[in-house]
Amino acid sequence: GEDVEQSLFLSVREGDSSVINCTYTDSSSTYLYWYKQEPGAGLQLLTYIFSNMDMKQDQRLTVLLNKKDKHLSLRIADTQTGDSAIYFCAENCGGGATNKLIFGTGTLLAVQP
Amino acid sequence: NAGVTQTPKFRILKIGQSMTLQCTQDMNHNYMYWYRQDPGMGLKLIYYSVGAGITDKGEVPNGYNVSRSTTEDFPLRLELAAPSQTSVYFCASSYSVGTNQPQHFGDGTRLSIL
């Protein structure tokens, strides 16, 4: 079945770059997503990438996609304490017919001042 | 614009009790979803709906039921609560599929079964 894996924890200093990694298994995924979850809140869509792209940049966020290795990463430049949260990658499954998402286990990003 | 609203925010149930988790959205989205999030885990899809009157099972549907009588509402029912259903439940909605239509999430319902 489909599976999405992430490392559980990442700690960085304020001002440094953060790189959160994700591997997925469904090669038919058309979109891959990054969501942010702050404590006690729901998931907020940060960015996404279409499967025929290698890279997408959106202000401080850079998404890299290696489709051959089924590897997705999220780079946050100039990480701030407000970036502390859990980050989930997700892939859409079902060939786009149902928009079903498979989520990773989430990476807790801790930003030290 | 309220987005996706879930009620209640917290609830404690005894084993065997039943309850309904409410979810409503005001974005005229066709697609709605229920997920559960267990500690240290990602979200697992329980049920989803592609429109009023249509529902389908996700990855972990056992012990739950849903209905979709209107576009706005997608309640999740637990008939006989079990400790394994202790979790945080998230409702989400999206307009469509095919192009990028991100899912919008509610703030969650924290449910404990004791």
Side-chain angles (χ1 to χ4, degrees):
Chain A
E2 304 92 353
D3 196 15
V4 179
E5 294 188 354
Q6 300 178 238
S7 53
L8 291 181
F9 185 73
L10 175 66
S11 179
V12 300
R13 290 194 177 276
E14 193 172 18
D16 288 350
S17 292
S18 308
V19 180
I20 302 171
N21 294 303
C22 171
T23 57
Y24 62 97
T25 55
D26 188 347
S27 59
S28 68
S29 295
T30 52
Y31 286 97
L32 296 122
Y33 304 85
W34 283 104
Y35 282 84
K36 177 184 181 183
Q37 184 182 31
E38 295 181 353
L43 278 69
Q44 172 195 359
L45 179 67
L46 277 182
T47 187
Y48 65 92
I49 189 166
F50 189 50
S51 59
N52 68 353
M53 298 169 65
D54 298 324
M55 185 182 85
K56 179 179 179 181
Q57 187 147 4
D58 184 359
Q59 299 181 330
R60 291 192 297 123
L61 305 178
T62 303
V63 179
L64 294 177
L65 175 60
N66 181 330
K67 204 171 176 185
K68 174 177 167 289
D69 295 338
K70 298 190 182 70
H71 183 266
L72 182 73
S73 68
L74 174 70
R75 179 177 181 271
I76 305 173
D78 187 25
T79 313
Q80 303 297 307
T81 54
D83 294 325
S84 293
I86 301 176
Y87 291 81
F88 292 92
C89 65
E91 58 169 345
N92 79 312
C93 298
T98 59
N99 207 20
K100 285 163 61 177
L101 295 182
I102 302 296
F103 287 85
T105 52
T107 298
L108 174 60
L109 174 64
V111 182
Q112 311 298 326
Chain B
N1 194 341
V4 179
T5 303
Q6 291 183 237
T7 56
K9 291 191 185 303
F10 308 94
R11 185 72 184 268
I12 298 174
L13 282 183
K14 293 183 179 178
I15 295 171
Q17 285 187 316
S18 61
M19 79 163 291
T20 300
L21 283 67
Q22 301 291 345
C23 176
T24 188
Q25 52 90 11
D26 61 0
M27 297 174 282
N28 201 31
H29 283 172
N30 294 315
Y31 292 73
M32 295 188 75
Y33 316 82
W34 273 107
Y35 295 91
R36 59 179 287 172
Q37 184 182 31
D38 298 327
M41 302 293 287
L43 279 71
K44 298 292 185 185
L45 182 65
I46 305 171
Y47 269 96
Y48 66 98
S49 168
V50 301
I54 306 169
T55 62
D56 210 343
K57 295 178 180 179
E59 297 174 79
V60 289
N62 292 342
Y64 306 94
N65 279 301
V66 293
S67 60
R68 185 93 183 272
S69 55
T70 66
T71 300
E72 295 79 17
D73 300 306
F74 191 40
L76 177 72
R77 178 111 181 128
L78 283 71
E79 290 293 349
L80 288 171
S84 61
Q85 294 177 305
T86 294
S87 191
V88 181
Y89 291 83
F90 288 99
C91 179
S93 70
S94 64
Y95 181 69
S96 183
V97 296
T99 56
N100 180 53
Q101 295 291 337
Q103 294 185 18
H104 298 259
F105 284 81
D107 287 340
T109 294
R110 283 149 185 81
L111 182 62
S112 291
I113 316 294
L114 302 176

